[in-house]
Amino acid sequence: MAEMALSELGDSSSWRVNSYTQKDLFGGTAEYKVIDTTIAGDSLIKIAVNGTYNDYSVNVTVYADKQS
């Protein structure tokens, strides 16, 4: 899901998902959001994903540079 979000940002740098949205993938589910954030003065995009498959859960956070 994180890769899909990065691809969507490549198509539209202003794309955001401000509250968790669920998507069914490969027999499991992923909840994700894409928001603006600032870390140590750097303006970034945060992609947060919570995935579940066969009762196993994983959380992934990706930070991407904002494209002008």
Side-chain angles (χ1 to χ4, degrees):
M1 189 63 235
E3 287 291 332
M4 292 172 71
L6 286 168
S7 177
E8 188 71 36
L9 284 166
D11 292 340
S12 173
S13 62
S14 63
W15 179 72
R16 300 294 183 275
V17 180
N18 292 314
S19 59
Y20 277 101
T21 301
Q22 185 171 312
K23 186 167 186 78
D24 295 328
L25 296 168
F26 310 112
T29 60
E31 292 183 332
Y32 66 97
K33 69 178 177 177
V34 180
I35 60 172
D36 294 315
T37 192
T38 303
I39 297 176
D42 292 328
S43 184
L44 302 170
I45 301 169
K46 178 182 178 180
I47 302 166
V49 181
N50 304 315
T52 304
Y53 182 78
N54 286 339
D55 295 326
Y56 178 75
S57 296
V58 66
N59 299 316
V60 175
T61 303
V62 176
Y63 293 95
D65 288 330
K66 282 189 175 181
Q67 302 297 318
S68 319

